[in-house]
Structure formats: structure tokens, C-alpha cells
Amino acid sequence: MRFWAFLSYSWSDRSRAVSLHRKLERFVVPRHARRMADPQGPPGRRLRPVFRDDDEMAASGPLGERLRTAIDEAPAMVLLASPASARSHYVNLEVEHFLTNHDPKRLVIVAVGDSTRDPELPAALDHVDEPLWVDVRGGRRLTRRDLVRVAAIVLDVGFEALWRRHVRYLRQLAALWCALVLVVGGVVGWALVRQQEAEKRSPEQQRAQFVEWMTGEVTKTDLPGIQVKLNITRVDDFDNDGLMEFFVRNETMQFCGSGGCAFEVYRTTSPGAYVRVLELLGTSTPRVRAAADGTKEIIVSELAVSREPLYTVYTLRDSKFRLKHYEFCDGLVFEVCDKPTVITPIPYENAPPVQQDVIARERPVADAREVRVGATDTKENGGFTLEVRGQVAGGEWYLVSVWKQSCGFVPASAVGSR
């Protein structure tokens, strides 16, 4: 069979027919009822398809071949009975053709309309004893029990067994919806809690918490006439934990000296709790870049070779930002320096001695100019104590400090053994 049922109706009752057709095709057929009705019936769990002709017919004429075929291929008929269908020539022909080749017990009548008297039926049913029908006249709605009664006739199964299975299905569906509501409610509740936590951990909120904490730390010193002035130059999440790190220059007058104001980086260990992870003096505003491990590095230009910056790179290690290496860009600005000269730092206590009469160079090459110190081009190299800071990759040159923050390069031949 191609259809579970054929829906016969008058064009005047089209809106009611569309509603009934939709309810029938949404009905979930229990597995046992499907097997009993026809194991080879239309696929799917629902009572579909149910044939409903959507073409308006003429007032009279023979039944078309398409409708006769559809009736023959549907084992049951649902008749939407009304005064209009009782007078319909085509409804009568459809019922007559169905009764010719099918069992009258597989025809179910759904009576609609406003009358409370016996339903008006097509003439083809005059000789059918006690046709099966459900009454939805007088404004009554098609209840679930009525729908199951219609489905039982369409499927040719017992009503009571089908009703029990349908009630069980409705209870299971209700339980599923309750579980779904609980899950959705839990997810929404969890999301709201997470949102509240996220708001507390927003960069703006964390910044306000840090300023409050830092102000309290500064005022704890009880210095006379203190007026707290904090310059937060950057807020960033270095280790991707959602907690911000703060670059702050403490410009409170009592915390600044001849070398400038202290520049510090604080890490948030938990909202409202902080630890200092880097402290610098008299440095320019640090830059930040991504490291190979997914964390971030801090780059500052606290040193110089003549008047060219020497970049110091700090990386997060053991909960502190520690010196990683130096980078020299040979005259290029940092933003376009993709192949810097990398200098591995040497701790002060392990630094080898340097010949004090050697000339520090501006580049790690023999013919480079001598290091210039100060704002003029005058040579100021003589008389300063040279100290090794690091070794250039390859080992042929060393980075040495010349005076204060000024550095230069000397050949490995001028450096003794450690």
C-alpha cells in the first residue's frame, strides 16, 4: 500500500480537513500496531502519508482515475462528515468506490459542523449498518482519545491496546521533556554563574580591583604627604588563564628617584590577589609578543649600543618573568626586525674577564665603528670598566656593558676563560 488512509471531504470543509490531516500524519504509531497493520507499510514512525486531495472538484462528473487509484491503495478511509460533504457529488463517489473494494469497518467518520442532531452522511452509506464515527460537532475539539480511536480504525487494531500504548508514549514524552527542561535549566543556570564569574573577571573589573589593591599597598608605607599616582600602561593575559597581568609605573613622588620611577609587572593569582613578577627601572614602555609555547614575552629597550636600542627579552618561567636573551636589530626598528642577533645572557657571577683596553664595537664585526656614549659623537669609551653581559650566537663575539646602560661588542679573543 502507498497510503495509510484516504481522507474524503468537501471543499467547503477544507480548513477542517487540513487540520485533521496534519493531526493524523503527526500521530506516532507504536511498533506492535505497525506490525499488525502492515509490516511493509509506508516507512517511518508516524501515520503518514494520508492521502488528501487538494484540488477543487466540479459540481458533477465521474471520479478521476487518480482518486480511484489512491482509494484502492489506501486500506482505510476517513470521512469528514458535514452537511456540505453529505451533498457533495464527489464525496459520495469516493465513499461508494471505497465500499466497493474495502471492508466497511475500515471507514471511520469524523462528524463536524454545528448541528447536534444525527450527522448528515453521503447516500453511499445508507446501506452501511452503524458506521464507526467520532463526534466533534458543536465546537468540540478532536481530543487525543478521539484521535487514537480514528487511528485504531485506520490501523485495524484494538482501541484499548492502542490507547494504553499512546498514554505510555505521552508519559515517556513528558518525562523526556521534564528531563530536557532540567538539563536546559541546569545549563542555563551554569551559564548564568559563568557569566557572573566572567563579569567579575572582565579586564575592566580586574583593572578596578588591581587599582584598589595597589593603592592600598602604596598607602601602607605611611610616607608623609603621599599622593598615589599609578600609570597602568598595559593590561594583558600572558598565560591564557583569564586573569590579567598589569604593567604599572608607580609615579607616586615618593617612589621615584634620579633613575626614574619604578616600572613593575604584576600577575593576578586570583581575583584581588597579585604578585610582582618583574621590576624594571628607567625603562621605556615594554612591548609584548607571543612566544612559541603560546605564552607571551616582554621586550624592553633598557640597554643601548651607541644610540641604537638593545632589546631585553623576558619570559614567564617558574611564575616569574625572567631574562631569556638579548636581541640586537642592527639598526632596524623592532617591528620590522625579523632576524635579530641573539645574545645569550651570562650571569654576573659566571662572567669571564675582559681586556680593559679592547675597543667595544657597535656591531659584532671587526670593522664596525667604536661605541659612542652620550648625546654627542665624541669617543667616550676610554676609562670605563667593561663587563661581559652575554655571548653572541656562534661564540665569536661577546656583549659587554660599557657605561651605565650603554653596551658594545668585543671579539672572543679579548675575553678570558671562565
Side-chain angles (χ1 to χ4, degrees), residues 126-146:
D126 289 346
H127 303 292
V128 176
D129 295 333
E130 298 183 0
L132 302 170
W133 62 290
V134 295
D135 191 358
V136 291
R137 294 174 299 164
R140 290 183 64 239
R141 297 178 59 187
L142 185 72
T143 65
R144 287 191 178 275
R145 195 174 183 87
D146 291 334

Side-chain angles (χ1 to χ4, degrees), residues 188-206 209 241-244 268 270-272:
V188 171
W190 176 82
L192 290 175
V193 172
R194 293 285 295 178
Q195 181 180 0
Q196 293 175 353
E197 292 179 354
E199 290 175 354
K200 292 180 181 179
R201 292 163 67 108
S202 68
E204 295 78 11
Q205 184 67 22
Q206 291 191 54
Q209 291 174 340
D241 62 353
L243 299 176
M244 298 295 109
T268 307
S270 63

Side-chain angles (χ1 to χ4, degrees), residues 150-226:
V150 174
I153 296 172
V154 170
L155 294 167
D156 195 22
V157 298
F159 165 73
E160 293 298 334
L162 186 61
W163 173 247
R164 286 194 300 271
R165 292 294 184 103
H166 187 68
V167 170
R168 184 186 307 170
Y169 166 75
L170 293 179
R171 288 173 179 170
Q172 292 173 345
L173 188 63
L176 180 62
W177 275 107
C178 289
L180 183 60
V181 168
L182 290 175
V183 171
V184 171
V187 171
V188 171
W190 176 82
L192 290 175
V193 172
R194 293 285 295 178
Q195 181 180 0
Q196 293 175 353
E197 292 179 354
E199 290 175 354
K200 292 180 181 179
R201 292 163 67 108
S202 68
E204 295 78 11
Q205 184 67 22
Q206 291 191 54
R207 181 188 181 102
Q209 291 174 340
F210 174 75
V211 170
E212 180 181 0
W213 175 83
M214 188 71 179
T215 301
E217 292 297 304
V218 173
T219 54
K220 283 180 182 179
T221 58
D222 293 329
L223 294 174
I226 192 168

Side-chain angles (χ1 to χ4, degrees), residues 328 330 341 361-366 368 392 396-398 409-410:
F328 183 63
D330 201 14
T341 299
R361 302 290 177 178
E362 291 182 343
R363 304 280 188 276
V365 290
V392 178
E396 297 181 0
W397 290 85
Y398 282 79
F409 297 94
V410 299

Side-chain angles (χ1 to χ4, degrees), residues 75-363:
M77 174 175 281
V78 179
L79 171 63
L80 194 63
S82 69
S85 68
R87 295 188 296 270
S88 171
H89 170 73
Y90 279 100
V91 170
N92 189 67
L93 289 178
E94 289 169 354
V95 174
E96 189 176 58
H97 185 78
F98 178 81
L99 294 175
T100 301
N101 301 308
H102 296 79
D103 185 350
K105 293 182 180 180
R106 300 296 300 277
L107 186 147
V108 58
I109 300 168
V110 179
V112 298
D114 299 327
S115 176
T116 57
R117 297 174 299 176
D118 290 341
E120 298 182 49
L121 302 175
L125 290 173
D126 289 346
H127 303 292
V128 176
D129 295 333
E130 298 183 0
L132 302 170
W133 62 290
V134 295
D135 191 358
V136 291
R137 294 174 299 164
R140 290 183 64 239
R141 297 178 59 187
L142 185 72
T143 65
R144 287 191 178 275
R145 195 174 183 87
D146 291 334
L147 183 62
V148 173
R149 193 177 300 277
V150 174
I153 296 172
V154 170
L155 294 167
D156 195 22
V157 298
F159 165 73
E160 293 298 334
L162 186 61
W163 173 247
R164 286 194 300 271
R165 292 294 184 103
H166 187 68
V167 170
R168 184 186 307 170
Y169 166 75
L170 293 179
R171 288 173 179 170
Q172 292 173 345
L173 188 63
L176 180 62
W177 275 107
C178 289
L180 183 60
V181 168
L182 290 175
V183 171
V184 171
V187 171
V188 171
W190 176 82
L192 290 175
V193 172
R194 293 285 295 178
Q195 181 180 0
Q196 293 175 353
E197 292 179 354
E199 290 175 354
K200 292 180 181 179
R201 292 163 67 108
S202 68
E204 295 78 11
Q205 184 67 22
Q206 291 191 54
R207 181 188 181 102
Q209 291 174 340
F210 174 75
V211 170
E212 180 181 0
W213 175 83
M214 188 71 179
T215 301
E217 292 297 304
V218 173
T219 54
K220 283 180 182 179
T221 58
D222 293 329
L223 294 174
I226 192 168
Q227 292 184 347
V228 179
K229 184 179 180 182
L230 304 176
N231 181 12
I232 299 178
T233 60
R234 187 183 184 94
V235 178
D236 208 332
D237 182 6
F238 283 162
D239 45 7
N240 302 315
D241 62 353
L243 299 176
M244 298 295 109
E245 277 69 46
F246 297 91
F247 290 58
V248 56
R249 191 184 301 277
N250 187 356
E251 297 178 352
T252 305
M253 184 178 63
Q254 289 84 345
F255 285 80
C256 297
S258 59
C261 302
F263 190 95
E264 299 167 325
V265 178
Y266 286 87
R267 184 184 183 193
T268 307
T269 56
S270 63
Y274 311 91
V275 59
R276 185 171 60 195
V277 292
L278 184 61
E279 181 178 10
L280 305 169
L281 288 174
T283 183
S284 62
T285 301
R287 298 171 174 84
V288 175
R289 72 180 178 192
D293 61 358
T295 60
K296 296 179 181 178
E297 298 172 336
I298 298 176
I299 300 96
V300 297
S301 51
E302 55 187 341
L303 304 174
V305 177
S306 291
R307 284 170 295 280
E308 294 180 15
L310 179 70
Y311 299 103
T312 308
V313 181
Y314 295 91
T315 187
L316 188 62
R317 188 171 65 250
D318 300 330
S319 301
K320 290 280 188 177
F321 275 95
R322 305 181 187 278
L323 176 61
K324 181 182 180 183
H325 59 248
Y326 304 101
E327 293 182 4
F328 183 63
C329 287
D330 201 14
L332 296 175
V333 295
F334 180 81
E335 288 74 11
V336 298
C337 179
D338 57 349
K339 293 183 179 180
T341 299
V342 177
I343 300 116
T344 303
I346 298 176
Y348 175 79
E349 62 274 12
N350 296 333
V354 186
Q355 296 178 16
Q356 294 301 308
D357 58 349
V358 70
I359 301 298
R361 302 290 177 178
E362 291 182 343
R363 304 280 188 276

Side-chain angles (χ1 to χ4, degrees), residues 34-106:
R34 177 177 290 277
R35 287 197 300 263
M36 292 176 62
D38 189 346
Q40 304 301 321
R45 298 176 59 241
R46 299 183 185 275
L47 195 66
R48 69 163 65 104
V50 171
F51 183 89
R52 178 180 69 84
D53 187 31
D54 204 26
D55 295 330
E56 186 174 9
M57 299 294 185
S60 62
L63 194 64
E65 180 66 26
R66 183 174 67 89
L67 294 180
R68 290 198 303 271
T69 301
I71 294 172
D72 291 340
E73 293 181 347
M77 174 175 281
V78 179
L79 171 63
L80 194 63
S82 69
S85 68
R87 295 188 296 270
S88 171
H89 170 73
Y90 279 100
V91 170
N92 189 67
L93 289 178
E94 289 169 354
V95 174
E96 189 176 58
H97 185 78
F98 178 81
L99 294 175
T100 301
N101 301 308
H102 296 79
D103 185 350
K105 293 182 180 180
R106 300 296 300 277

